[in-house]
Amino acid sequence: MATGPASALEFSQNKILAGSWSKPVSRGGATGIRTPDYAGNSMTIELKLNQKSVSLDADPDMPLLWAIRDLAGMTGTKYGCGKALCGACTVHVDGQPVRSCSYPISSAAGKSVTTIEGLSADGSHPVQVAWRELNVPQCGYCQSGQIMSAVALLDKNPKPTDEDIDNAMSGNICRCGTYTRIRAAIHKAAGESS
Amino acid sequence: MSNIINGVSRVSRRDFIRNTGLAGGGLILAANFSACSGEKELAGGDFAPNVYVNLLESGEVEIVCHRSEMGQGVRTSLVQVIADEMEADWDRVTLLQGIGDAKYGDQNTDGSTSIRMQFDLLRNAGAIARKMLVNAAADIWGVPAAECSGHHHAVHHKASGKMLGYGELAGHAATMPLPEQVEFKSPADYRYIGKPMDLVDGMAFSVGTAAFGIDTVVPDMLYASIERCPVVGGKLISVDDTAARAVAGVVDVIQLGDGTSPPDFNPLGGVAVLANNTWSAQKGREALQIQWDMGTNASYDSSSYRKQLEAAVNAAGSVVLERGDVAAALANSAKTLDATYYAPLLSQAPMEPPAATAMINDDGSCVIWACTQDPQTAQAVVAGALGLEPAQVTVNVTLLGGGFGRKSKPDFIAEAALLAKLSGKPVKVTWTREDDIRHGYFHSVSCQYLRGGIDADGNTTAWMQRTAFPSINATFEPTDGPSASELSLGCTDNPYAIDNMKIEACDAAAHVRIGWLRSVSNVYHAFAASSFADELAHLAGRDPKEYLLDLIGPDRHVVPAESGAEYENYGQDLGEHPIDTARLKAVLEEAASMSGWGRKLPGGRGLGIAVHRSFLGYVATAAQVSVSDAGKLQVEELWTAVDAGTVVNPDRVRAQMEGAGIFGMSLTLHGEITAKGGAIVEGNFDSYPVIRMSEAPRAINVRIMPSNAKPGGVGEPGVPPVAPAICNAIFAATGKRVRELPLRNVSLA
Ligand code: FES
Ligand code: FES
Ligand code: FES
Ligand code: FES
């Protein structure tokens, strides 16, 4: 069946009959970059965001999280704590997982940033598939960060043990308590990618 | 099964469009009628038999979810119920989220009510649609409706083999009168109800397109961050915003005035910094120089307040339940025991902090996008704040990144509305985590004193309980202690078969905003009562599970009013939803057997168990813990048995029990909000930790009791048994009795 929740990206545009709440919402995606009108200390930072070159005018200290969300208009990456405590904002910078809330945009200059939206063109990454097959999410809010951390773990360690998972995933809080399913989904994805 | 229709009103297509904000779909003309179409001409057009269902002539069915999705899975289970009764095909359904509108009936997604209170409403919505489609086909074919049936997205006439698709029938069905009575499907014919359907938002969650309150973007909007007075009831003296305005990206600084007394659902006031991105708003806010008058709550200190609560339960309170003669029974007991339990303030801390966006139209009307559990209350509060009629406020409901009770209060939504009006631009307000932890509506702090007596055979003869906690009601009106509705949550519904029982409520004043948190007062009432029952079992030298079965006693329906209690039963009829001790014992036995109760455990380990009915659901949880010599606790495994009556989506029930296990562990092990000088000390997940992956049990095993009983609640009932099960397990492992939460303040070494 189809749903009409606001959907920013390619995947669901055919089916945005959309609950009223998505209608006036416009999201830029990586192409519709907004340029804030800064009085001073902003600089132009070039980076790759989900394989596309973008240049963002931002205070060099602005956390990558807010640059991705507010300037690049990609909202899949979430804010949960702003202090590198919860993992909701996890993205990959040159393949490494980082907490984008605590990573200045200037450090991303010239690098390649991947967000949940860039993990696959159609949600077909084995981790995304495993997440859906086990119906891991409850509210779903932490899950972008969980998936990005899980992908980074499996890139390094294709057959993680429970202990490996606990170590790699304990920076990602899920207030809804989906941990046992996350563990199972990582094992499932590991099985499928082997 | 037949059912008189109530609560489902018919709407016009125009109303449907207005209520869902949805347009289009009505312009396509019927292209061709199928060969098997019958005696009357088929009319084109759509069919909206009620506010929840709209069948397009293409055959697509739009179903409106009027309840808020916060992780409980209602967007999936609601479609299951309506589509099943309608006999609509799953892949021809499009789900729309309803705005806040009284037409939908109760939208307050709180109290685990979506299924337990609206199952029949939802079944009606689907069954009416099916019935009218059947009537339409019968009319077209000129056959009795009784010979026709709707299934698999079509109406069939068995005798002639005729069939018309739902889409083809839509236009004609729209001309049919609303039936006075509909038949519900027999449970044996359910296609979706009772099945573990996949999450309707599963794809959106996995690819990052699911839109939460924090994700709204409106052209030209400003991003706001608000500095609020650290103490509830304080006032702004002065603000110097020079430095804030100098921060790059900051557009404006706006004073929001002061909060109200009592605080109600109103904004707390403060000073807002508006910028063209979230981070600049936060930086600007940090640069504000503000002087506050902290007001009378500045003397509030949570550690001295604890002593006040302990003193309160040391003296008699007002009697809220009494039977037999507790004093005499205690005097005649072979052994007595008394204990005082304490549990602190808690923050819901949903993963997505409160966030809302508001826009004022040229005609002064207001549009909101917010992660709200209660869009109709949000509509009313925003209207009040802006001086509008509720009808001038449109509240769009986004997905909620968790709610747990926090997002039933629309204070943050009114903040956005006020700022949109004052700035003349659309505004998104995003609370920081620190805002969320420090300026919330807290789960109440509580203290309970228990005194019990057993006879020479170990039977419990007396139970005396005093409970003190500041009431949620204090948020809305001056009041000094527990309300009947909070006492109904796990206290005056005590199911134990003890002849002499007395429960008293003791006064406690509120110095912060008190509000609902997942399972509310059941958390501390179950912690105390189920821990104390375990204490009495050990006093009697009995196995705790066997003792608990005896304590619950014979199969019966407990009627608190017979002991003089004013009991609310979660807003539902006690006859239809009794306190059924047989069901309580059945889940207890089930959880015990799942856990292998009674087995030998390696050293430093213990099993504990607790059972509790709340929100009309029955849940027993067994916990296995290990405690190292150094006192390090690990909750190794949980076993939960749940009887929630008829279950719509067993996988979501399972997920709620798994989540309740973790949520319950968070409040048992870590959760504590403290105050100094009236201000909340904790601020983020470092000082207000919640359970992480490394602490999660290796398994949370869930069993759902098969039942055709009326649906009970699911989202909340899993939480209350967790704390006592863990604390009872700690006693089994170590012989140490824990009487206060959280465990991080208690040495287990
Ligand atoms: S928002 Fe970055 S770790 Fe929490
Ligand atoms: S699914 Fe809600 S916080 Fe993880
Ligand atoms: S096409 Fe005639 S019944 Fe479907
Ligand atoms: S598709 Fe409508 S019945 Fe064939």
Side-chain angles (χ1 to χ4, degrees):
Chain A
M1 63 164 286
T3 58
S7 297
L9 299 175
E10 311 64 359
F11 310 112
S12 41
Q13 271 170 1
N14 52 338
K15 271 289 188 186
I16 305 191
L17 280 168
S20 45
W21 39 283
S22 68
K23 296 201 72 193
V25 180
S26 73
R27 288 194 187 74
T31 45
I33 304 305
R34 286 169 32 129
T35 309
D37 184 18
Y38 281 117
N41 60 337
S42 89
M43 57 186 271
T44 302
I45 292 153
E46 316 254 344
L47 55 106
K48 272 216 157 81
L49 183 54
N50 295 333
Q51 317 303 334
K52 289 182 196 143
S53 298
V54 297
S55 61
L56 300 173
D57 274 342
D59 183 319
D61 291 339
M62 179 184 287
L64 180 59
L65 169 68
W66 298 115
I68 292 169
R69 288 179 56 84
D70 294 351
L71 308 188
M74 307 193 82
T75 56
T77 305
K78 302 305 184 196
Y79 164 84
C81 70
K83 301 264 168 73
L85 297 166
C86 79
C89 65
T90 306
V91 301
H92 297 173
V93 176
D94 286 345
Q96 295 301 309
V98 306
R99 308 295 186 220
S100 64
C101 68
S102 305
Y103 188 93
I105 176 81
S106 54
S107 300
K111 296 186 176 154
S112 174
V113 175
T114 304
T115 69
I116 184 76
E117 292 97 334
L119 203 51
S120 65
D122 52 2
S124 61
H125 189 287
V127 171
Q128 292 171 312
V129 172
W131 245 246
R132 289 194 299 274
E133 283 181 354
L134 296 187
N135 286 298
V136 170
Q138 288 184 29
C139 79
Y141 190 78
C142 72
Q143 300 295 345
S144 307
Q146 304 280 5
I147 289 172
M148 296 310 284
S149 291
V151 168
L153 163 66
L154 289 170
D155 284 349
K156 251 194 297 195
N157 179 354
K159 286 282 174 197
T161 62
D162 274 355
E163 202 187 339
D164 297 336
I165 293 172
D166 287 0
N167 289 335
M169 300 299 294
S170 282
N172 286 79
I173 292 173
C174 176
R175 184 63 163 146
C176 297
T178 62
Y179 298 123
T180 51
R181 290 200 195 203
I182 289 172
R183 268 191 211 129
I186 291 174
H187 285 307
K188 190 176 179 81
E192 280 170 6
S193 56
S194 66
Chain B
M1 182 191 289
S2 88
N3 185 63
I4 303 299
I5 292 157
N6 55 30
V8 179
S9 57
R10 189 166 190 177
V11 285
S12 66
R13 172 69 182 156
R14 182 182 304 274
D15 283 343
F16 191 85
I17 291 169
R18 198 164 53 74
N19 282 315
T20 60
L22 179 85
L27 299 173
I28 312 151
L29 292 171
N32 57 339
F33 297 146
S34 54
C36 56
S37 67
E39 289 73 3
K40 275 194 191 175
E41 283 277 290
L42 281 165
D46 302 335
F47 169 44
N50 52 62
V51 295
Y52 310 105
V53 176
N54 185 38
L55 170 65
L56 305 181
E57 63 184 338
S58 64
E60 298 297 308
V61 182
E62 296 166 353
I63 290 179
V64 174
C65 179
H66 64 297
R67 311 284 295 179
S68 297
E69 177 61 77
M70 50 190 158
Q72 81 281 40
V74 70
R75 280 167 53 88
T76 304
S77 52
L78 179 142
V79 177
Q80 288 181 250
V81 178
I82 294 180
D84 205 332
E85 280 295 348
M86 182 172 172
E87 274 288 329
D89 285 342
W90 193 254
D91 55 10
R92 308 206 63 188
V93 171
T94 295
L95 174 59
L96 307 172
Q97 186 69 35
I99 62 169
D101 193 314
K103 277 190 190 233
Y104 293 122
D106 183 7
Q107 292 182 273
N108 183 7
T109 316
D110 206 346
S112 302
T113 47
S114 291
I115 298 301
R116 75 173 165 98
M117 284 191 161
Q118 301 199 340
F119 187 54
D120 285 354
L121 175 103
L122 300 174
R123 286 201 291 175
N124 258 324
I128 289 168
R130 174 165 47 89
K131 175 83 169 170
M132 290 171 76
L133 287 160
V134 164
N135 290 348
D139 188 51
I140 284 166
W141 293 326
V143 300
E147 293 176 10
C148 303
S149 62
H151 53 89
H152 290 89
H153 226 84
V155 178
H156 304 256
H157 182 242
K158 206 168 181 188
S160 65
K162 283 179 181 166
M163 177 170 89
L164 277 170
Y166 276 0
E168 298 167 289
L169 285 166
H172 198 65
T175 69
M176 291 284 114
L178 196 65
E180 270 162 29
Q181 216 167 320
V182 292
E183 306 261 300
F184 286 155
K185 287 171 66 173
S186 131
D189 297 331
Y190 284 154
R191 294 163 65 193
Y192 312 128
I193 297 172
K195 307 290 188 296
M197 304 301 287
D198 286 338
L199 288 171
V200 299
D201 295 310
M203 176 58 90
F205 289 147
S206 71
V207 300
T209 57
F212 297 87
I214 200 172
D215 296 331
T216 306
V217 180
V218 176
D220 290 330
M221 76 177 189
L222 296 176
Y223 300 75
S225 190
I226 304 172
E227 184 72 18
R228 303 168 189 83
C229 183
V231 183
V232 170
K235 294 193 183 332
L236 180 73
I237 296 172
S238 67
V239 55
D240 176 352
D241 62 15
T242 319
R245 286 183 186 273
V247 170
V250 169
V251 173
D252 205 351
V253 176
I254 295 178
Q255 295 186 23
L256 278 172
D258 299 316
T260 59
S261 176
D264 210 314
F265 285 142
N266 299 316
L268 286 168
V271 181
V273 175
L274 287 70
N276 54 26
N277 66 84
T278 310
W279 188 68
S280 293
Q282 291 176 358
K283 293 294 283 182
R285 174 184 167 190
E286 282 165 23
L288 291 170
Q289 303 287 325
I290 303 183
Q291 277 195 295
W292 304 104
D293 166 2
M294 300 295 184
T296 54
N297 285 323
S299 59
Y300 175 53
D301 178 292
S302 51
S303 51
S304 55
Y305 189 81
R306 174 177 177 169
K307 297 199 178 73
Q308 288 176 40
L309 281 185
E310 285 166 351
V313 295
N314 247 320
S318 48
V319 178
V320 294
L321 178 148
E322 185 166 26
R323 65 172 173 262
D325 185 339
V326 164
L330 283 169
N332 295 330
S333 296
K335 284 184 192 166
T336 64
L337 180 71
D338 49 354
T340 302
Y341 294 86
Y342 175 79
L345 293 169
L346 297 172
S347 168
Q348 299 86 353
M351 211 62 226
E352 175 200 33
T357 303
M359 180 174 81
I360 309 289
N361 292 320
D362 292 341
D363 64 359
S365 64
C366 177
V367 187
I368 299 287
W369 295 264
C371 47
T372 173
Q373 288 177 237
D374 187 359
Q376 290 177 32
T377 298
Q379 184 183 34
V381 169
V382 167
L386 299 182
L388 298 175
E389 292 301 317
Q392 293 171 280
V393 177
T394 304
V395 178
N396 298 290
V397 181
T398 66
L399 291 169
L400 282 63
F404 311 119
R406 173 60 184 92
K407 293 172 182 170
S408 58
K409 296 92 170 172
D411 56 327
F412 62 101
I413 304 170
E415 288 176 341
L418 285 168
L419 290 172
K421 183 172 176 177
L422 293 169
S423 70
K425 294 261 197 166
V427 172
K428 172 159 73 178
V429 170
T430 302
W431 286 41
T432 64
R433 178 57 57 198
E434 287 79 6
D435 294 338
D436 174 55
I437 301 281
R438 294 191 174 132
H439 298 290
Y441 287 83
F442 299 98
H443 172 75
S444 200
V445 55
S446 68
C447 198
Q448 288 168 85
Y449 171 74
L450 283 112
R451 191 165 168 77
I454 58 175
D455 66 17
D457 302 325
N459 302 310
T460 307
T461 52
W463 177 282
M464 209 281 280
Q465 180 172 3
R466 292 196 190 116
T467 181
F469 54 89
S471 171
I472 293 170
N473 287 7
T475 297
F476 306 101
E477 62 194 29
T479 182
D480 263 341
S483 66
S485 68
E486 289 159 309
L487 293 165
S488 295
L489 308 179
C491 190
T492 52
D493 51 352
N494 185 309
Y496 299 152
I498 302 171
D499 290 340
N500 305 289
M501 182 176 284
K502 186 172 181 175
I503 301 178
E504 298 174 357
C506 306
D507 281 359
H511 299 288
V512 294
R513 301 193 296 181
I514 306 288
W516 302 272
L517 172 142
R518 189 178 190 177
S519 87
V520 201
S521 312
N522 285 292
V523 173
Y524 41 84
H525 286 143
F527 166 57
S530 294
S531 294
F532 194 64
D534 195 75
E535 294 206 45
L536 291 175
H538 289 286
L539 183 72
R542 303 269 318 273
D543 171 76
K545 192 260 300 187
E546 293 302 324
Y547 175 83
L548 202 44
L549 287 170
D550 284 353
L551 203 53
I552 296 167
D555 292 0
R556 69 196 188 289
H557 293 173
V558 176
V559 180
E562 288 173 356
S563 303
E566 187 185 328
Y567 178 63
E568 299 187 355
N569 203 36
Y570 303 92
Q572 289 191 258
D573 185 71
L574 195 58
E576 274 180 32
H577 290 275
I579 302 171
D580 186 335
T581 57
R583 294 173 77 183
L584 209 51
K585 287 183 290 181
V587 290
L588 176 59
E589 294 271 31
E590 187 66 36
S593 106
M594 288 164 74
S595 72
W597 187 262
R599 71 194 144 91
K600 270 262 167 279
L601 289 164
R605 285 181 171 74
L607 270 177
I609 198 162
V611 61
H612 191 77
R613 170 190 182 269
S614 64
F615 303 90
L616 316 178
Y618 299 77
V619 180
T621 294
Q624 179 175 317
V625 305
S626 69
V627 182
S628 73
D629 290 342
K632 187 163 167 29
L633 170 75
Q634 179 74 39
V635 177
E636 298 185 325
E637 193 158 354
L638 296 174
W639 298 267
T640 291
V642 52
D643 175 356
T646 299
V647 156
V648 172
N649 187 324
D651 186 60
R652 286 305 92 195
V653 173
R654 238 166 244 291
Q656 283 304 295
M657 294 302 134
E658 292 160 8
I662 300 294
F663 195 90
M665 279 181 62
S666 285
L667 69 89
T668 306
L669 272 66
H670 304 308
E672 181 181 35
I673 293 291
T674 63
K676 275 202 177 22
I680 302 304
V681 174
E682 292 71 24
N684 210 316
F685 291 119
D686 46 358
S687 47
Y688 188 73
V690 296
I691 293 293
R692 293 173 180 274
M693 176 71 87
S694 52
E695 302 166 297
R698 68 169 175 268
I700 302 176
N701 311 278
V702 178
R703 203 162 287 169
I704 300 168
M705 309 295 276
S707 170
N708 284 325
K710 285 178 174 294
V714 167
E716 295 173 273
V719 174
V722 176
I726 291 171
C727 293
N728 294 343
I730 290 170
F731 185 84
T734 66
K736 286 195 168 57
R737 177 57 61 182
V738 176
R739 292 180 179 146
E740 69 174 281
L741 299 179
L743 291 166
R744 68 175 163 132
N745 294 339
V746 178
S747 166
L748 299 177

